[in-house]
Amino acid sequence: MIPATEIHAVAADLSLDSQIVEKDYVLGWLLAGIYHHPELADAWTFKGGTCLKKCYFETYRFSEDLDFTLAEAAHLDATFLTRVFTDVASWVYDETGITVPADRLRFETFTNPRGGLSCEGRVYYNGPLQRTRSIPRIKLDLTADELLVLPAVERPVGHPYSDLPAEGIVARCYAYEELFAEKVRALGERTRPRDLYDVINLFRHGEFRPAVSTLMDVLRQKCEFKKTPVPTLAALSGSTAELTADWEAMLGHQLPVLPPFDSFWDVLPEFFTWLEGTPLAIPPSVPVASGERILRPPVGYFRLQRVEGSSALETIRFAGANRLCVDLDYINEQGERSVRTIEPYSLRRTRDDHIVLKASRVDTGQARSYRLDRIRSARVTDRTFVPRFAIELSAIEEGAQSFTPRTTVRPRSISAGRQDGTARGGPDI
């Protein structure tokens, strides 16, 4: 298990509460435990906002739940779930030292609106922050009667912490197009702030944008299955008051800085125009200078490599993804320190082996390069911008645009649970 100091350092880099970061850390290891359990690995498919955060876009809103679609309805049984999660808890403790008390596992099944069974679980944990009184929990939402239109894929789990296994962590997930379609359907069905945030964020990631025909085919099938109409801009037009009222309460704690509601709502007409088949203009990349190459490392890479200036990088990445300007505290070649407001676009490595941020000055509109080691700090503002260049700050693995399944060697599998039904390693809390 990583030390509490690492949790606090990541929280400072991301401008988040340490408890949110600790939960993200524990989520990664719970996903590893579920994937390595022989009865769950091929039967549970990860979905929802946490799946987007952990398996597709590391620079994203932090989520607190684990949502799965189960291939076997028989798994929606409290006795079964208690047994397998006792196994998972034991494996996670052996691998990391994170304690998941077996006697605090809670699973409640209920009849969902479709008449099928669903289950809500509570998994308590004690991680690097080592609480002595009340300990935090992670909620599980489990269903077995969801429609999966596309085959599940295996995706690497983002885990920007120093105890990432050499072979990585992997989860069985919804395909990207299916996740996107689920979010669009959810926006039309329940109209919650996080659905609006997710839909526009997915839409803005142009390099990941799926073919409209595929997305619409999946969306129509999912809406037909749920007996809801395909969402339209006209149908959502009366939802502004409700969304505005809940914007901060539902999203504020999941983000370093809450973007203005209008900066997402005002993109909906463009999104629906694209969904109807109209091609979109794609901004060009910032011109590449001689000897430069684009850098797109995963979140936490430079921090773990102890690269100077990296503490500001995740703030800059978040700002770019959310189209927010940044106040950059910077020291120039003459040693003069000043703050300038910029639009962030891309990271490059120069032929002199410096890492530079490509950006535009807000006051002049001119393109500028800022060496990472000369950035003292970065602060996200609430000032939005319309990109004049492509934003190339998110990590991309080779072949990620097509979202082809990726596999890895699995570490030691979880064995059958102990006969006494308790988790190994540490007392219950």
Side-chain angles (χ1 to χ4, degrees):
M1 183 164 58
I2 63 174
T5 52
E6 183 172 341
I7 293 292
H8 294 312
V10 175
D13 285 353
L14 300 176
S15 300
L16 285 169
D17 187 282
S18 293
Q19 295 182 29
I20 297 292
V21 174
E22 183 192 42
K23 181 167 287 189
D24 179 71
Y25 168 74
V26 174
L27 283 170
W29 278 110
L30 278 180
L31 287 168
I34 290 168
Y35 182 79
H36 294 134
H37 196 287
E39 294 176 83
L40 308 182
D42 298 323
W44 288 32
T45 307
F46 191 27
K47 62 182 179 181
T50 312
C51 182
L52 286 168
K53 162 70 178 169
K54 298 300 287 182
C55 298
Y56 287 99
F57 304 112
E58 289 186 280
T59 303
Y60 205 72
R61 68 176 176 90
F62 281 73
S63 189
E64 302 173 338
D65 305 337
L66 291 176
D67 299 346
F68 291 90
T69 292
L70 281 53
E72 300 180 34
H75 285 191
L76 292 171
D77 173 77
T79 301
F80 170 84
L81 292 168
T82 300
R83 175 177 64 79
V84 294
F85 268 86
T86 297
D87 295 344
V88 170
S90 179
W91 184 89
V92 169
Y93 182 86
D94 287 347
E95 296 291 319
T96 69
I98 297 169
T99 302
V100 177
D103 65 346
R104 297 287 297 276
L105 295 170
R106 297 290 183 270
F107 298 99
E108 297 181 8
T109 57
F110 59 92
T111 302
N112 60 40
R114 297 178 299 280
L117 275 183
S118 292
C119 179
E120 185 176 284
R122 293 285 187 273
V123 176
Y124 290 81
Y125 63 88
N126 208 353
L129 298 184
Q130 289 296 299
R131 324 296 172 83
T132 57
R133 295 186 178 179
S134 70
I135 63 173
R137 67 186 184 185
I138 289 168
K139 187 175 81 168
L140 297 175
D141 282 323
L142 311 175
T143 57
D145 62 345
E146 294 284 352
L147 172 69
L148 269 75
V149 178
L150 301 174
V153 298
E154 289 188 330
R155 294 283 302 173
V157 172
H159 189 78
Y161 306 98
S162 59
D163 66 348
L164 175 69
E167 66 281 353
I169 297 174
V170 172
R172 174 186 168 90
C173 304
Y174 272 30
Y176 182 69
E177 296 89 344
E178 188 128 20
L179 282 167
F180 201 155
E182 279 274 295
K183 285 297 176 182
V184 178
R185 181 200 56 75
L187 178 62
E189 186 177 9
R190 62 191 184 189
T191 322
R192 293 179 181 172
R194 67 172 178 262
D195 297 321
L196 173 62
Y197 182 88
D198 290 342
V199 167
I200 299 305
N201 248 295
L202 298 179
F203 172 61
R204 282 172 166 170
H205 280 86
E207 60 210 346
F208 294 93
R209 205 174 284 149
V212 173
S213 57
T214 302
L215 181 61
M216 282 301 298
D217 179 58
V218 176
L219 177 60
R220 289 190 183 100
Q221 291 188 58
K222 286 190 165 291
C223 289
E224 182 180 354
F225 177 76
K226 288 290 185 78
K227 297 180 171 55
T228 61
V230 174
T232 64
L233 181 61
L236 292 170
S237 60
S239 304
T240 52
E242 180 183 356
L243 286 167
T244 303
D246 294 336
W247 186 250
E248 182 172 0
M250 290 192 173
L251 282 175
H253 65 291
Q254 297 182 342
L255 299 165
V257 174
L258 183 65
F261 168 76
D262 290 345
S263 68
F264 282 75
W265 179 260
D266 292 347
V267 182
L268 273 182
E270 183 183 11
F271 166 72
F272 278 105
T273 296
W274 169 73
L275 201 61
E276 292 165 0
T278 301
L280 298 175
I282 300 175
S285 294
V286 175
V288 179
S290 176
E292 277 186 352
R293 60 186 178 90
I294 299 174
L295 291 179
R296 307 190 73 163
V299 166
Y301 176 82
F302 286 138
R303 171 175 51 79
L304 294 172
Q305 297 294 318
R306 302 184 182 277
V307 174
E308 189 175 358
S310 62
S311 61
L313 183 54
E314 303 317 324
T315 296
I316 293 167
R317 277 177 152 160
F318 171 82
N322 288 275
R323 309 302 192 258
L324 296 171
C325 297
V326 174
D327 284 341
L328 204 66
D329 186 352
Y330 188 74
I331 299 177
N332 65 18
E333 293 181 1
Q334 291 73 43
E336 300 166 334
R337 185 169 179 173
S338 62
V339 176
R340 62 287 313 272
T341 305
I342 61 149
E343 303 168 1
Y345 289 110
S346 182
L347 281 179
R348 307 283 171 85
R349 188 181 291 279
T350 69
R351 65 176 152 193
D352 297 328
D353 209 31
H354 293 302
I355 299 171
V356 299
L357 170 67
K358 295 290 186 177
S360 290
R361 286 279 296 262
V362 169
D363 54 356
T364 65
Q366 294 179 322
R368 288 286 185 265
S369 295
Y370 301 100
R371 275 177 45 175
L372 190 62
D373 61 333
R374 290 179 177 161
I375 297 174
R376 300 278 72 87
S377 66
R379 185 184 69 85
V380 183
T381 74
D382 59 2
R383 180 171 181 172
T384 62
F385 69 94
V386 177
R388 38 189 120 206
F389 299 105
I391 296 175
E392 301 167 327
L393 295 168
S394 297
I396 293 183
E397 59 181 299
E398 185 176 353
Q401 289 94 328
S402 61
F403 297 103
T404 52
R406 172 176 168 178
T407 60
T408 189
V409 177
R410 297 184 185 182
R412 177 180 57 82
S413 294
I414 296 174
S415 59
R418 297 173 63 189
Q419 290 184 352
D420 61 6
T422 61
R424 289 174 292 161
D428 292 337
I429 297 175

